[in-house]
Amino acid sequence: MTTQNKPRIGVYICHCGMNIAPKVDVEEVARSIQTLDHVTVARDYKFMCSNPGQDMIINDIKELGLNRVVVASCSPRMHEKTFRNAVKTAGLNPYYFQMANIREQVSWVTKDSQEATEKAKSLVAAAVGRVFFHQPLETREVSVTKSVLVIGGGIAGMQAALTSANAGYEVYLVEREPSIGGHMAKFDKTFPTLDCAACIMTPKMVDVLQHPGITLYTWSEVHKVEGFIGNFEVTIKKNPRYVDEKKCTGCGTCMQKCPTKKVVSEFNEGLSFRTAIYTPFPQAVPNVPVIDADHCRVLGQNKKCGVCVKFCETKAIDFEQKPEFVTLTVGAIITATGFQAVNPSGMEQYGYGRFPEVYTSLEFERLNNATGPTSGKVVMKNGKVPERVAIVHCVGSRDTRHKKYCSRVCCMYSMKFAHLLREKTGAEVWEFYIDIRSPGKLYEEFYNRVQEEGVRFIRGRVAEITDIVDDATDEGRLTVIAESTLTRRTVRVPVDMVVLSVGLEPARGSEDIGRLLGVSRDGDGWFNELHAKLAPVATPISGIFLAGCCQGPKDIPDTVAQSMGAAGEAIALLAKGIVTTQAEISRIDPDLCSGCKSCIESCSYSAIRFDEARKVAVVNEALCMGCGSCAAACPSSAAGVKHFTDQQVMGEIESILL
Amino acid sequence: MVKSMSDFQPKIIALVCNWCTYTAADLAGTSRLSYPANIRMIRMMCTGMIDPKYILKAFLDGADGVFIGGCHPGDCHYINGNLKFKKRMAGMEAIIKQFGFDENRLRLRWIGASEGPEFQHNMTDFIQTIQDMGPSPAQGIMVL
């Protein structure tokens, strides 16, 4: 420490009117502190936070050449900012300041006046012992690139993209499928209002396509993410479509003429076939087909074909396309990678895969849909209309053997199915449920409505679905066996068709996305939000937000609301245009770092990286939150949080115990 | 010099997190919930930043007890810093024992920001425990 920097500490004891004095003998505290080393002046005053109080500090800094200040008054949670500003006004770095809490933690909680005075002395001495070691700190401002990357083009990603783009920001929307739309595009009706999903969805899809602020990358994946809040460097991999998007008019001739017609349709959940060159569904956006290289005769089997090339009038087919990499800089990232339906194949008791008339809920959605395999007619594989249908709730949900959580949607969509079945086929419908969960707006009303429509509700988890029938007249039917827990009897219901209301799980590949972004996932694989209640769309990684089911199961209204929330957070960041880095963050001394990486493991914010060249850990100042986990984890004391250094904390401890 | 038990006034250091336990202490203050004056609180940002050497330093400098207060599991302002400290706690007890300090002189509790009465109760109880245990043997051992 140079002589110029020799600590000259000013200490100010506040009376806080009658709140600290007279319980604490403030004059006695000031007298006692005045005798400590490096204390230039110790004063007491009625209200330190008042203007005259602050002026007293400012004048002393100027006139007495103080370079450290301690105020003993209320909680720093109350007035630390006030006094830091006063110190700053006088031309000192605001971090040359320390507060001692002698109101909330002394005068208000101590009965004996003498004990209170002694405790106050001790806390003020501790603040003096600490401020001695204070260092000047600076915040830094980083400019923000005014664009957003949205990962996933389902309803969540589309909404987040539209809201962000409507605010005037550049949006890049990446979707790995050939079309945006996600799961909602597969649905027929939506609960509880029974809006046709396509009718409310397809206009939004077109809006996304036509929005001048949105650049759409379908059939593409996020390949690499680097950088941090305000300036993420993102590499997108555009998979080869083998169709030139600029030339294709979407006329569909290629799809009609393609001779490979027996490829199982993913979009129709395996209930129909598609061609090798295809769009997943008629309203696909963009309306540009892709060639499925595995099934194409030219690309996959090295055969001569080229029918599509021959019929394409705009010469859009290009077998030579290669993966293309696009690099973008974005200020914020919204993750909207969604969910996938739980596959019930492993749940033997339900007979899925063994009995052709056992369907998953997504298959049933397609069966119901006008663009589906049966053009919306609910029929069995033999073409007959079912007369009796069972709907099994909570398949794979609320089950410790599978997913312990509630899917939040299967009660409502099951009841929607029941309604549609009653309306379309007049079939008798049994709902096998554990509890009915209908907590949304108009949801309970929908439940009542479906009951009035004659749907039978049996409270009991289905034990087994079998093709053994009790009565010969039911031959060919399936028997659903369950215990009705309300009547305490086993029921055996013969039905023609069973719908398994499967649960939700994180989408395939979300683990990879999590790794790319550094966003952690919970035990079930959903992305972790920053705070379950107060920061539900932010993630621990600053500048990365969550929209829709990737954070946890949600219905459409909640998904849309959350997506708008995520977009709002992103917009707030972009609108401000700068990110101010915190001053109290971690620093790792490269001379002391042994390269053990303990800090990297301990950091919940992925704010520390390893510099391979120097073999030391380096803190990213824009990501660090200053929690100090790294400092405590570091075995060589190389990591430390600024303003909470070992010297400062130990100085405080030492002075308290003197 | 061995003090007699009756006039023994323990010195206790409390290392507490800014977001939960420190706030609870402030709440105890605004609610005028009194407790003995033996507690000296040091504000940390998170229990996760509490280095074992701080605890050792406090004991070797003569603290009769060290109290660590953090957010309840799941409420940590920094996601899970409190759990990181909890992991270190067992090792910490073993270390202070090796230095000749009873492990009961170190206590970890989760006290949420709204739990003023719990803060008061915890302080009173810990002070009583240390009072009953008598002065720390620190003075008899080396001081770093």
Side-chain angles (χ1 to χ4, degrees):
Chain A
M1 208 169 281
T2 65
T3 39
Q4 205 185 352
N5 266 335
K6 202 165 176 257
R8 294 177 61 80
I9 306 171
V11 183
Y12 302 86
I13 322 291
C14 183
H15 300 201
C16 195
M18 299 285 280
N19 281 302
I20 296 171
K23 176 62 77 56
V24 172
D25 183 344
V26 286
E27 285 158 24
E28 164 61 17
V29 175
R31 267 197 302 277
S32 150
I33 295 300
Q34 180 78 65
T35 63
L36 296 179
D37 285 348
H38 309 290
V39 172
T40 306
V41 64
R43 303 182 196 275
D44 61 278
Y45 184 68
K46 232 170 194 29
F47 289 107
M48 283 312 300
C49 61
S50 67
N51 279 339
Q54 292 188 48
D55 287 344
M56 184 193 283
I57 299 173
I58 295 168
N59 288 338
D60 280 357
I61 292 172
K62 289 179 179 161
E63 285 164 22
L64 303 175
L66 302 180
N67 54 19
R68 304 277 196 288
V69 173
V70 169
V71 174
S73 58
C74 51
S75 171
R77 299 169 51 82
M78 182 91 131
H79 272 312
E80 188 172 54
K81 228 179 198 167
T82 314
F83 295 119
R84 273 189 184 164
N85 279 336
V87 169
K88 197 177 168 190
T89 308
L92 266 187
N93 185 286
Y95 289 90
Y96 278 133
F97 169 76
Q98 179 66 16
M99 220 164 156
N101 184 344
I102 59 166
R103 190 179 73 174
E104 281 85 343
Q105 295 177 14
V106 179
S107 67
W108 280 353
V109 292
T110 311
K111 283 182 182 150
D112 182 79
S113 182
Q114 203 183 333
E115 283 180 10
T117 305
E118 287 309 309
K119 186 176 180 184
K121 277 187 201 171
S122 167
L123 292 182
V124 181
V128 171
R130 188 187 208 279
V131 83
F132 180 90
F133 294 108
H134 278 198
Q135 299 280 332
L137 300 178
E138 300 294 340
T139 54
R140 218 159 47 87
E141 288 185 343
V142 183
S143 70
V144 172
T145 304
K146 303 212 167 196
S147 56
V148 188
L149 170 74
V150 179
I151 308 171
I155 183 64
M158 285 166 44
Q159 187 59 57
L162 282 170
T163 305
S164 310
N166 285 341
Y169 299 105
E170 192 74 37
V171 177
Y172 305 99
L173 177 58
V174 178
E175 167 58 55
R176 70 177 168 197
E177 299 298 330
S179 168
I180 55 171
H183 279 99
M184 192 177 163
K186 294 184 179 183
F187 300 164
D188 182 48
K189 296 279 197 301
T190 53
F191 63 78
T193 48
L194 300 172
D195 291 298
C196 138
C199 311
I200 56 177
M201 177 89 176
T202 45
K204 257 194 199 308
M205 291 163 62
V206 175
D207 283 352
V208 169
L209 181 73
Q210 293 179 343
H211 202 297
I214 300 177
T215 309
L216 196 54
Y217 293 99
T218 53
W219 203 237
S220 301
E221 289 157 57
V222 176
H223 180 67
K224 201 163 86 180
V225 179
E226 285 178 328
F228 45 86
I229 180 172
N231 299 284
F232 293 101
E233 297 287 331
V234 181
T235 308
I236 293 167
K237 181 187 176 196
K238 286 179 75 180
N239 292 315
R241 242 188 152 91
Y242 304 109
V243 177
D244 189 326
E245 284 180 72
K246 290 195 186 79
K247 290 182 185 164
C248 175
T249 60
C251 71
T253 313
C254 53
M255 293 190 267
Q256 286 164 18
K257 302 290 181 187
C258 177
T260 309
K261 296 193 189 295
K262 290 281 177 186
V263 187
V264 170
S265 162
E266 299 87 352
F267 190 80
N268 275 336
E269 294 292 317
L271 295 175
S272 70
F273 297 110
R274 61 165 171 81
T275 45
I277 184 165
Y278 72 105
T279 56
F281 55 106
Q283 305 92 332
V285 169
N287 187 19
V288 177
V290 294
I291 297 178
D292 172 353
D294 293 339
H295 294 98
C296 169
R297 292 185 187 195
V298 176
L299 289 165
Q301 292 150 21
N302 240 336
K303 287 182 188 162
K304 279 188 183 163
C305 174
V307 172
C308 50
V309 180
K310 201 172 111 193
F311 282 96
C312 182
E313 287 183 15
T314 58
K315 304 209 180 314
I317 311 290
D318 177 7
F319 288 124
E320 300 304 313
Q321 266 188 8
K322 294 277 173 299
E324 216 181 295
F325 293 89
V326 184
T327 306
L328 308 164
T329 306
V330 295
I333 298 176
I334 297 174
T335 311
T337 50
F339 70 93
Q340 67 187 23
V342 169
N343 183 345
S345 298
M347 305 168 204
E348 291 294 328
Q349 71 273 30
Y350 298 130
Y352 178 74
R354 265 187 300 140
F355 306 131
E357 289 310 317
V358 177
Y359 297 84
T360 68
S361 34
L362 274 181
E363 288 168 358
F364 190 75
E365 288 284 359
R366 295 313 298 153
L367 214 53
N368 245 306
N369 194 290
T371 65
T374 56
S375 304
K377 286 196 201 84
V378 179
V379 289
M380 299 188 285
K381 300 245 159 67
N382 62 12
K384 286 187 188 155
V385 175
E387 288 168 10
R388 300 162 70 88
V389 181
I391 301 174
V392 183
H393 291 219
C394 301
V395 172
S397 303
R398 303 183 67 193
D399 185 338
T400 48
R401 292 165 299 177
H402 302 286
K403 309 290 174 192
K404 57 184 183 297
Y405 53 86
C406 167
S407 79
R408 284 193 59 183
V409 287
C410 98
C411 275
M412 290 308 297
Y413 77 61
S414 296
M415 293 195 276
K416 173 189 78 178
F417 289 164
H419 166 82
L420 293 172
L421 277 160
R422 297 290 297 152
E423 187 182 69
K424 286 188 172 181
T425 64
E428 283 189 78
V429 182
W430 282 264
E431 300 250 6
F432 291 87
Y433 69 100
I434 306 177
D435 301 288
I436 292 294
R437 296 188 167 175
S438 54
K441 197 170 173 179
L442 296 176
Y443 287 13
E444 189 69 10
E445 291 88 332
F446 189 75
Y447 174 33
N448 294 336
R449 172 179 170 183
V450 173
Q451 284 175 298
E452 279 161 20
E453 286 171 353
V455 175
R456 294 163 194 205
F457 286 82
I458 295 175
R459 199 185 81 175
R461 193 189 268 286
V462 169
E464 195 186 355
I465 293 165
T466 170
D467 56 356
I468 301 167
V469 289
D470 299 331
D471 194 323
T473 55
D474 287 325
E475 199 53 52
R477 282 184 159 149
L478 296 167
T479 307
V480 180
I481 306 166
E483 186 201 345
S484 166
T485 56
L486 293 178
T487 59
R488 291 197 278 167
R489 261 188 223 140
T490 304
V491 291
R492 304 170 70 90
V493 182
V495 294
D496 297 316
M497 182 187 264
V498 175
V499 181
L500 302 179
S501 294
V502 291
L504 272 50
E505 63 186 4
R508 163 182 65 85
S510 48
E511 194 180 346
D512 300 329
I513 292 288
R515 206 175 301 120
L516 280 176
L517 299 174
V519 175
S520 59
R521 305 191 311 149
D522 66 19
D524 297 313
W526 307 106
F527 288 129
N528 280 327
E529 65 282 355
L530 181 58
H531 191 284
K533 288 140 228 159
L534 301 179
V537 301
T539 68
I541 310 298
S542 304
I544 300 183
F545 306 100
L546 303 173
C549 283
C550 67
Q551 180 260 345
K554 268 172 211 67
D555 58 18
I556 295 169
D558 284 1
T559 292
V560 172
Q562 202 212 12
S563 306
M564 289 172 169
E569 286 268 29
I571 291 166
L573 167 67
L574 302 187
K576 198 177 171 202
I578 48 162
V579 193
T580 309
T581 61
Q582 218 178 298
E584 300 103 317
I585 53 167
S586 173
R587 177 182 179 272
I588 297 171
D589 187 336
D591 294 335
L592 292 178
C593 177
S594 65
C596 74
K597 301 184 186 173
S598 303
C599 53
I600 297 179
E601 211 173 294
S602 77
C603 182
S604 298
Y605 300 95
S606 307
I608 307 176
R609 66 177 180 84
F610 193 68
D611 182 339
E612 286 294 344
R614 293 188 297 155
K615 301 279 178 227
V616 292
V618 182
V619 176
N620 184 327
E621 297 191 353
L623 294 182
C624 179
M625 295 288 166
C627 72
S629 292
C630 56
C634 179
S636 32
S637 292
V641 178
K642 294 175 188 172
H643 214 58
F644 284 87
T645 64
D646 286 351
Q647 267 190 327
Q648 290 161 356
V649 177
M650 304 266 230
E652 196 171 349
I653 294 174
E654 208 169 294
S655 305
I656 280 188
L657 291 169
L658 270 182
Chain B
M1 185 186 77
V2 180
K3 291 177 194 168
S4 73
M5 289 296 268
S6 56
D7 64 9
F8 167 54
Q9 280 298 332
K11 279 186 174 178
I12 295 169
I13 296 274
L15 294 158
V16 302
C17 98
N18 175 58
W19 309 96
C20 290
T21 309
Y22 195 89
T23 313
D26 279 357
L27 179 62
T30 38
S31 320
R32 309 299 198 277
L33 304 172
S34 64
Y35 50 90
N38 310 67
I39 291 282
R40 304 282 185 269
M41 198 130 32
I42 293 181
R43 181 165 71 128
M44 305 299 287
M45 293 315 285
C46 178
T47 46
M49 69 163 36
I50 298 174
D51 195 307
K53 62 181 175 263
Y54 301 161
I55 296 169
L56 210 49
K57 165 86 177 165
F59 278 119
L60 292 174
D61 275 6
D64 298 299
V66 175
F67 184 92
I68 313 287
C71 307
H72 287 280
D75 287 351
C76 178
H77 186 78
Y78 303 103
I79 302 166
N80 54 7
N82 49 356
L83 300 180
K84 288 172 191 159
F85 181 80
K86 196 182 172 216
K87 269 191 195 166
R88 287 196 285 272
M89 188 62 187
M92 210 49 239
E93 285 170 345
I95 291 170
I96 61 163
K97 236 167 128 176
Q98 285 178 2
F99 276 82
F101 304 105
D102 191 317
E103 73 263 35
N104 293 315
R105 291 185 184 275
L106 174 64
R107 185 177 284 183
L108 166 68
R109 289 289 182 272
W110 309 133
I111 305 171
S114 62
E115 298 178 334
E118 282 78 357
F119 179 82
Q120 177 197 35
H121 168 76
N122 268 288
M123 291 305 112
T124 312
D125 188 68
F126 189 53
I127 293 165
Q128 190 57 54
T129 304
I130 301 296
Q131 188 95 44
D132 294 346
M133 289 173 82
S136 147
Q139 278 84 352
I141 4 177
M142 55 154 201
V143 173
L144 281 186

